[in-house]
Each structure stands twice: as C-alpha cells, then as structure tokens.
Amino acid sequence: MNEGEESLGSSINLIGSKTEICGDLTCKGDVRIDGFVKGSIHSVSKVVLGSTGRVEGSISCVNADISGTLSGNINISELLFLKSTAKIDGDIYTAKMVVESGAVFTGKCHMGSMHKTDKKNEHTISAERKEAERISA
C-alpha cells in the first residue's frame, strides 16, 4: 500500500448526533450515523445506524446494523442486523437478516441471492441465478 492510500473498509466515518446532512453519501469504508441524513447512503463496507440516527432515503451496503429509524428502502448484499430499537418504513432486500425482539419494519422483505438495486427498479441477480436462467432458456 502506498503512502496516503487506505485499504477498502479501513476508514470509519461518523455522523454525530447533532449533525444533519442533506445529500447523498458514498463511502469506501464503514459509516456510523447517529445524526440525521436526508439522502441516499452507499457504502462498499458496513453502515451502522445508531439509536439516535435517522435516515430519509435509501441505504445500500454490504452489511448493516440498524438501531435507529429509516424511511426508505435498504439493500444489503450480505447481512442485515435489526436491533431492538430499529424502525424501518420501506422495503428490505438482503441475503441474510437477524431481527431482535422489538424491531419494527413496514414494507416488503426480499431475502436470498436476488436483491433489488435502487436505480430505476432494475434487478440484480446473482451469478448462480443468471446461469440457471441461461440453462433453462
């Protein structure tokens, strides 16, 4: 690694409880939100929405721990963990999910290898599913 370069996922970005952001966020590392974000969040790593955190917009990442409030869809490529204080008003797309008692979500939940992207309602299908469709065609 060259001087000044960071490996993917090595940086941690924090949005504090008294911080409000209007606009989309794109992170190459982990992000923790304890404040308010109005806009989409995309990370190639992990998103943590703390118990005081609120997001009005979509979240797209590899893994997520949700303790706060999300008004929008969430697209997780690996594991979504809904803590007991989590509140989601939107659709969930994830490969795997853990839900603690007390967590609440209103919307549809789609689990498995097929998950929806946020761009123009296109579908992203895993390589195995694409191969199965090609063989059956």
Side-chain angles (χ1 to χ4, degrees):
M1 183 166 33
N2 294 330
E3 185 179 326
E5 286 185 12
E6 293 183 42
S7 63
L8 285 178
S10 68
S11 67
I12 298 174
N13 303 285
L14 175 64
I15 298 171
S17 62
K18 298 187 189 239
T19 303
E20 293 186 13
I21 296 178
C22 288
D24 296 341
L25 297 176
T26 301
C27 304
K28 290 186 178 178
D30 295 347
V31 62
R32 179 178 177 96
I33 301 159
D34 291 316
F36 173 68
V37 175
K38 184 171 186 170
S40 298
I41 299 168
H42 175 75
S43 173
V44 295
S45 192
K46 183 176 187 176
V47 172
V48 176
L49 183 59
S51 61
T52 60
R54 291 186 308 126
V55 173
E56 289 181 7
S58 63
I59 295 176
S60 176
C61 59
V62 176
N63 294 298
D65 288 350
I66 307 295
S67 297
T69 303
L70 170 64
S71 297
N73 295 342
I74 187 165
N75 187 342
I76 309 298
S77 61
E78 290 183 12
L79 178 64
L80 171 61
F81 197 119
L82 298 182
K83 306 286 186 161
S84 63
T85 56
K87 292 181 178 127
I88 297 179
D89 185 11
D91 293 344
I92 295 172
Y93 301 87
T94 186
K96 299 176 188 172
M97 182 167 65
V98 175
V99 182
E100 284 185 354
S101 178
V104 176
F105 75 87
T106 303
K108 296 177 183 176
C109 181
H110 307 268
M111 290 181 64
S113 61
M114 186 173 135
H115 59 279
K116 179 182 166 204
T117 63
D118 290 328
K119 296 181 181 179
K120 298 179 185 176
N121 296 325
E122 296 173 8
H123 288 276
T124 302
I125 302 174
S126 69
E128 298 86 10
R129 177 126 180 157
K130 284 181 182 177
E131 182 66 17
E133 287 176 352
R134 186 185 65 77
I135 291 171
S136 65

